[in-house]
Amino acid sequence: MVGRVIDLEDITRALAAHAPETLPGAGRRRAAVAMILRARDAGAEVLFIERARHEGDPWSGHMAFPGGRLDPGDAHPRAAAERETYEEVGIALQEAQHIGRLTDLTGRGPVKQQGLVISGHVYLLEREVPLVIDRLEVAQAFWFPLRALHESERQVPYTAPGVTMRFPGILVGEPGRHVVWGLTYAFLEDFFGIVGTPLPSRWSVARNALVE
């Protein structure tokens, strides 16, 4: 099944009219990610990264959006998302259009991550920019068709290493490796809900996992 083409003008209007739920940052650690879109003849594309693998990193090897934790020099979470994006993939988001913000999420990994507040910011990249990947941070980065994230055959359950629970996921590349799940999946759920093309329910993905 081919997903519906989502018009970037419709996305921009929907995000401009949306009031995201935000969490107070006082006394909490903060991080931010950038969901970056670009226009193509076949429809919009979104940038994903595969994080480099590092022992002790709770997000090691995960599929994600560019981003990371706030540094002392970052004025706010959006600044952190822009700085980290430039460091990780070489895109200067100050030259892109910031078209909206998603609902804040909290880390639900190891205990030390559970107090972390993660903000999601959406950008439209209006000119061609080559990716310059920092291999210490990013194993791979690639653009993926936005509408393909709705294809039924890409809705797959995912089991994280060392965890028995299965999570809803979206296959965007190599099976078992390039699966979007967890926080990035939750940001996509929020995004598609805002623009009026919701992802399949988490229950339907979980039910498919039970019958496999």
Side-chain angles (χ1 to χ4, degrees), residues 163-185:
V163 179
T164 57
M165 182 178 177
R166 306 191 85 178
F167 300 90
I170 305 173
L171 179 65
V172 295
E174 182 182 324
R177 176 181 173 185
H178 298 140
V179 178
V180 176
W181 68 287
L183 289 167
T184 305
Y185 185 96

Side-chain angles (χ1 to χ4, degrees), residues 58-59 62-65 105-109 118 156-160 166-170 179-190 199 202:
W59 294 307
H62 288 196
M63 294 303 299
F65 298 130
L105 299 177
T106 56
R108 292 183 175 86
I118 305 103
V156 298
Y158 182 79
T159 302
R166 306 191 85 178
F167 300 90
I170 305 173
V179 178
V180 176
W181 68 287
L183 289 167
T184 305
Y185 185 96
F187 275 128
L188 285 175
E189 278 189 309
D190 188 41
L199 289 174
R202 286 174 177 255

Side-chain angles (χ1 to χ4, degrees), residues 3-12 14 35 37-40 42-45 145-150 191-199:
R4 171 189 152 193
V5 175
I6 307 172
D7 186 87
L8 280 170
E9 290 186 3
D10 291 341
I11 290 173
T12 301
M35 181 180 182
L37 307 176
R38 70 175 184 181
R40 282 296 180 268
E45 294 181 336
L146 197 63
R147 67 173 179 169
L149 296 171
H150 282 82
F191 170 81
F192 283 118
I194 294 166
V195 302
T197 57
L199 289 174

Side-chain angles (χ1 to χ4, degrees), residues 7 20 26 31 50 66 78-79 81-82 91 93 97 99-100 102 133 145-146 156 164 171 187 195 197 206 210:
D7 186 87
E50 177 190 6
R78 178 176 162 184
E82 294 177 356
I91 296 177
L93 289 176
Q97 182 183 356
I99 59 175
L102 304 175
I133 298 173
L146 197 63
V156 298
T164 57
L171 179 65
F187 275 128
V195 302
T197 57
L210 292 174

Side-chain angles (χ1 to χ4, degrees), residues 44-192:
E45 294 181 336
V46 59
L47 182 68
F48 289 115
I49 65 170
E50 177 190 6
R51 296 209 167 277
R53 298 183 182 275
H54 296 291
E55 186 175 352
D57 179 357
W59 294 307
S60 177
H62 288 196
M63 294 303 299
F65 298 130
R69 295 178 182 84
L70 267 72
D71 278 354
D74 295 324
H76 41 66
R78 178 176 162 184
E82 294 177 356
R83 174 184 53 76
E84 288 279 354
T85 296
Y86 185 74
E87 292 173 0
E88 291 177 346
V89 294
I91 296 177
L93 289 176
Q94 295 84 350
E95 301 173 9
Q97 182 183 356
H98 181 267
I99 59 175
R101 180 172 173 175
L102 304 175
T103 294
D104 287 349
L105 299 177
T106 56
R108 292 183 175 86
V111 172
K112 67 180 180 179
Q113 302 298 338
Q114 291 177 2
L116 186 68
V117 176
I118 305 103
S119 302
H121 292 267
V122 187
Y123 293 84
L124 176 58
L125 194 61
E126 298 176 296
R127 67 181 184 86
E128 192 68 24
V129 178
L131 299 179
V132 182
I133 298 173
D134 178 358
R135 297 294 178 182
L136 291 176
E137 298 290 336
V138 177
Q140 193 172 356
F142 54 85
W143 294 95
F144 190 81
L146 197 63
R147 67 173 179 169
L149 296 171
H150 282 82
E151 293 175 354
S152 57
E153 60 269 29
R154 296 189 179 277
Q155 310 302 315
V156 298
Y158 182 79
T159 302
V163 179
T164 57
M165 182 178 177
R166 306 191 85 178
F167 300 90
I170 305 173
L171 179 65
V172 295
E174 182 182 324
R177 176 181 173 185
H178 298 140
V179 178
V180 176
W181 68 287
L183 289 167
T184 305
Y185 185 96
F187 275 128
L188 285 175
E189 278 189 309
D190 188 41
F191 170 81
F192 283 118

